[in-house]
Every structure is written in structure tokens, then in C-alpha cells.
Amino acid sequence: MPYLTDQPIDPSALLQSVESAERGGLACFFGVVRNHHAGRAVLRLEYSAYGAMAEAECARIVAETLARWPVAVALRHRVGRLEIGDTAVGIAVAAAHRDAAFAACRHVIEEVKRRVPIWKRELYADGTEEWVDPTRAGSGAEGQRGSEAAAGAGA
Amino acid sequence: MPYLTDQPIDPSALLQSVESAERGGLACFFGVVRNHHAGRAVLRLEYSAYGAMAEAECARIVAETLARWPVAVALRHRVGRLEIGDTAVGIAVAAAHRDAAFAACRHVIEEVKRRVPIWKRELYADGTEEWVDPTRAGSGAEGQRGSEAAAGAGA
Amino acid sequence: MAITADRHTTIRVLLFASYAERLGRELLELSVPPDTTVGQVLELVREMPGGDQLPRHPLCALNLAHVGSDARVGPGDELAILPPLAGG
Amino acid sequence: MAITADRHTTIRVLLFASYAERLGRELLELSVPPDTTVGQVLELVREMPGGDQLPRHPLCALNLAHVGSDARVGPGDELAILPPLAGG
């Protein structure tokens, strides 16, 4: 199953892919391109990835999640050029109980941010461009570990 | 804004209603009619409500959530006859940061279950019908407080 | 307008779902003394036909907000007796 | 087939995003002694033109999985040097 896509992510399709008559609780998360980052006005951005590893890492994250909670999981991350308001990442988790659905959904997005090799180049309103480094102070990123600390994160 | 509806809940419309270029994280929860409850096969069910109070209580829950987190919130609860797989409740929360989005989304569903006057009559495969009482042992409900303990919950 | 101790107050009592079925009705109009508490109204309702099938301490709402049994009812108030909630 | 201490091993080193820009390339082929560690490969890369612009301890992945700098590389391995991740 491809976790990366260069096509728009459809929230309804993602939800439907995990729905079943057995599971009554669906928790989901969507990361959407914002018009600002670290105080700068963003026009658009470009996601690139180490494709083979990103797929493998997403598969590991999903497998670990399925081993830990009784859930169904769908995960998509978009790559390529994105505009403001486009969905960059979509996660849907279905479970019989909402505790598991919420916990598993939160786990997946945290691990995606921490482990999946994807990079983001932002184009700003002032015409400049920059690779986003969430480990840098003032970057506005939340919960991202420093690049040294993250070494061997997937081991 | 009406929180109760007798029409199908559209996840995409709910998400879109909270999206903005300022808020990059969307957490959502959908409660879907399951085909079983407390070990019994469910054919369909009927939600009824104390409409005026349910609207007021939903409005209070949303207002409390907005006061506590910097988020946008959408909430819909369906009433009337629902089939297996229909969405009974939908919640979408958008925030600049996912911590707030997840926390607020979780808060809304917990408070809806705890405080909003809605009742559910299930029709089972064996032809019997029953009002669901989540406070009864073995009902399969999670996190529902007993009816005595819940008195004055909204005070 | 003088208020006397024996002046009675009319309130509406709403019943829902399983409780409405047990009492065979969804609406009661009751006349009660001033300063009557929700708990005292519940005692009255429990004395009506089918009322003994209500729990002693059900969830209650006064004028669309949850209340405890020590809240006092006033003229024109709407008291709702709520079966265990099952929304969400 | 006898393995000798001076037999070298060829590995592929992948660079991405800002690191690829700093070194002006996305792929290196390096020949290293057996039992070379990821940290030792990083030292070699840092000695190349533009390599001094890489951090001393970047994220690394060996054959599509995150590794620490003490992991050892083998014949045909693919070592990726990863700029700070920014997905999600």
C-alpha cells in the first residue's frame, strides 16, 4: 500500500477505508498547509521524500500501531507542490472504543513527524525559499526532537 | 447553529467548516452505529433527544471548549432512525497546534456523552427493542458515569 | 403583590424515553408550594402511577440545564427528568 | 572465499534536500574498509567539498531504517544522511 501520494488526500475516502460495522469510533487527524510559519507569510511549499524509506517507515509505524491497539489505520502523506489549505497528511483510525482510536491516531502522527524522511521547502511572500528545519529554535514546530537526539529513532 | 440534525452527517463538510489558513491541525471524531452492542446483534436504532436542552448543552460545551483552547469547533449529532454504519456524531476541531486540536476534540466527545440529553433505542436481530442504558453493567459503554453521579454534571 | 407561604407554583415536568414509557406520559403539570426542591418534586412524581419505576435519584434538568436535587423550582419552571444519557 | 582485513567494501551514500544542495550531489559511491561504522563514513563525507556544512551528528538511515553512528556498513549497503525531518 502506498503511503505517499502526489495526489490530493480525500478525507472521506480515508475515513471509509477504515470503517467497518464492528468499529464504532473513528478518530482522525489532518495536517493542512498553513499560510504562515515561524512568523513568515507562506505562499506554497514543496514536500520531497526519501521515497523507499518513507514507505518502509510508514509501514512500520502502522504495523506497530496495529500490534499495540485493536484498530484499523489509514495513513497518507502528500509529496510534491502544495498550496495553502492543501492536506499534507491524513490519518484515520477506527476502533470499537474511542480511547484506542484517539491514542492510536495520536501515536501515528507523532511517529510520522519523528521518523518518516520527508522534507519541506517553503516559498515565502517575500520571494525567498527555505528548507524547513523543525529542530531550529523559533521554527514554530512542536514536539520535534533535535536532529542529534533523533538519531537511531527507528532502531 | 443547530447541533442536532435528522440528516446524514457529512465528514468533509464538517472538516471544511473549521478549516482556515491559520490552523494547520485538524483532529476529528466520528461515532458510527455498530452492528453489535453488549454482545447482541443490532439491526438499527433510533436516537431521540430533549431537543431544546440538547442544543443548549452542545452550545455550552462548544463555548467552554473555545474558552479553554485556541481552536475552531464543529459538532453535529444525528437524531431519528439510523442504520448500521451511519454516523451518529461528528466533531471536527482545527487549531494551529495539534496538541490543542486533539485535546479539545477529546473533550467535546466526552462532554457530549456525559451531558447532552439524547437517548438511543436499539432494535436487535432477535426482534426485541430496548432503550440503551450505558450506566448498566455489561452495556459495553465506556466512560459513562452512573446516573446518580452525573446529576448536576452541567452545573 | 404579597407572597404568602401557601401560595402554590405551577411547574411543567417533562419525561423522556424509558421514563415517559414507564409513566405513560411525557408532560405533567404540577402545583407545588414555594421553595419546593427538585428532590421534593421527584417524590411527588414517584407517587404517581408508574412513578415507582423511576430511580430515586435520576438525572434532572431545570430550564434546560443540569441541576442537583436540592435546586428549588419557581413559577413556570420546566423540570426534566432524564433517563441515563446515551448520546455520542 | 577468504576475507582479508584490507578488502574494501563499496557502499552508496544518499543525500537529500538541504544536504544534497550543500554537497552539490545526491549520490556518492564510497569504498571503505570492512567493519567501517556509520560515524566513520560521515567523517569521510565531511572531508569532501561542501561536507563541512553537514552537522557532526546528522540523522542516518542504513538500508531504509534509522541507525545510530556506531552501526557498521557492509557490501552494497545504502546509507542515507537525513536533514532534520519536516513531514506531517
Side-chain angles (χ1 to χ4, degrees):
Chain A
M1 188 175 91
Y3 294 100
L4 270 56
T5 176
D6 58 5
Q7 297 299 308
I9 294 171
D10 176 357
S12 293
L14 209 65
L15 288 172
Q16 279 164 21
S17 72
V18 294
E19 275 183 17
S20 86
E22 309 286 322
R23 307 186 199 99
L26 272 81
C28 37
F29 179 80
F30 298 95
V32 173
V33 177
R34 280 185 286 177
N35 63 359
H36 64 283
H37 181 227
R40 301 170 74 179
V42 175
L43 288 187
R44 64 168 186 271
L45 51 77
E46 181 116 7
Y47 278 102
S48 62
Y50 177 14
M53 180 180 169
E55 292 286 349
E57 201 65 30
C58 285
R60 283 190 284 262
I61 291 168
V62 169
E64 290 165 16
T65 303
L66 297 179
R68 188 162 159 192
W69 291 279
V71 296
V73 175
L75 164 62
R76 286 287 180 291
H77 200 299
R78 194 162 161 199
V79 291
R81 179 171 156 171
L82 277 74
E83 309 288 336
I84 306 302
D86 283 348
T87 298
V89 61
I91 296 162
V93 176
H97 299 286
R98 66 187 181 283
D99 275 338
F102 273 106
C105 186
R106 185 69 201 256
H107 177 75
V108 171
I109 182 60
E110 298 304 325
E111 294 303 294
V112 165
K113 285 183 171 274
R114 200 169 71 87
R115 291 162 51 178
V116 179
I118 294 178
W119 300 279
K120 178 162 64 170
R121 188 171 178 82
E122 289 181 338
L123 172 65
Y124 302 102
D126 62 11
T128 61
E129 296 185 30
E130 203 167 274
W131 289 105
V132 173
D133 179 356
T135 65
R136 216 157 46 188
S139 73
E142 336 138 64
Q144 176 88 25
R145 308 201 307 179
S147 60
E148 292 195 25
Chain B
M1 188 175 90
Y3 295 100
L4 269 55
T5 176
D6 57 5
Q7 298 299 308
I9 294 171
D10 176 357
S12 292
L14 208 66
L15 288 172
Q16 279 165 20
S17 72
V18 295
E19 273 183 20
S20 87
E22 309 286 322
R23 306 187 199 98
L26 272 81
C28 36
F29 179 80
F30 298 95
V32 173
V33 178
R34 278 185 286 176
N35 63 359
H36 65 282
H37 180 228
R40 301 170 73 178
V42 175
L43 288 187
R44 63 167 187 270
L45 51 77
E46 182 116 7
Y47 278 102
S48 63
Y50 177 14
M53 179 179 168
E55 291 287 350
E57 201 65 31
C58 285
R60 283 190 285 262
I61 290 168
V62 169
E64 291 165 15
T65 304
L66 296 178
R68 188 161 159 192
W69 291 280
V71 296
V73 176
L75 165 61
R76 286 287 181 291
H77 201 299
R78 194 162 162 198
V79 290
R81 178 170 155 171
L82 277 74
E83 310 287 336
I84 307 300
D86 283 348
T87 298
V89 60
I91 296 162
V93 176
H97 300 287
R98 65 187 183 282
D99 274 338
F102 273 107
C105 185
R106 186 71 200 255
H107 177 76
V108 171
I109 182 60
E110 299 304 324
E111 293 303 295
V112 165
K113 286 181 171 275
R114 200 169 70 87
R115 291 161 52 178
V116 178
I118 294 178
W119 300 280
K120 178 161 65 169
R121 190 171 176 81
E122 289 181 337
L123 173 65
Y124 303 101
D126 61 11
T128 61
E129 296 186 31
E130 203 168 274
W131 290 104
V132 174
D133 179 356
T135 66
R136 216 156 46 187
S139 72
E142 339 137 64
Q144 176 87 26
R145 306 200 310 177
S147 60
E148 293 195 24
Chain C
M1 191 163 66
I3 295 176
T4 60
D6 58 356
R7 183 159 158 273
H8 273 49
T9 266
T10 299
I11 62 165
R12 291 153 46 88
V13 177
L14 304 185
L15 296 161
F16 295 92
S18 57
Y19 292 178
E21 289 180 0
R22 289 177 199 175
L23 274 88
R25 48 203 297 190
E26 299 183 330
L27 172 64
L28 310 169
E29 303 247 355
L30 294 183
S31 183
V32 296
D35 288 334
T36 296
T37 65
V38 167
Q40 288 166 330
V41 176
L42 288 171
E43 288 306 311
L44 291 177
V45 175
R46 282 174 46 82
E47 285 164 15
M48 303 177 70
D52 58 342
Q53 294 180 59
L54 296 191
R56 203 162 289 274
H57 303 289
L59 277 177
C60 288
L62 191 60
N63 301 326
L64 310 185
H66 289 284
V67 289
S69 59
D70 53 352
R72 293 180 190 282
V73 300
D77 276 0
E78 180 172 290
L79 176 68
I81 307 178
L82 310 174
L85 309 183
Chain D
M1 190 165 68
I3 295 175
T4 60
D6 58 357
R7 184 162 158 272
H8 273 49
T9 266
T10 299
I11 63 165
R12 291 152 47 88
V13 177
L14 304 185
L15 297 160
F16 294 94
S18 57
Y19 293 178
E21 289 181 358
R22 289 177 199 175
L23 273 88
R25 49 203 296 189
E26 298 183 331
L27 172 64
L28 311 169
E29 304 246 358
L30 295 183
S31 182
V32 296
D35 288 332
T36 296
T37 66
V38 166
Q40 289 167 329
V41 176
L42 287 170
E43 289 304 311
L44 291 176
V45 175
R46 282 175 46 82
E47 284 163 14
M48 302 176 70
D52 57 342
Q53 295 180 57
L54 297 190
R56 203 163 291 274
H57 302 289
L59 277 176
C60 288
L62 191 60
N63 301 326
L64 311 184
H66 289 284
V67 289
S69 59
D70 53 353
R72 293 180 190 280
V73 300
D77 277 359
E78 181 173 289
L79 176 68
I81 307 178
L82 310 174
L85 309 183

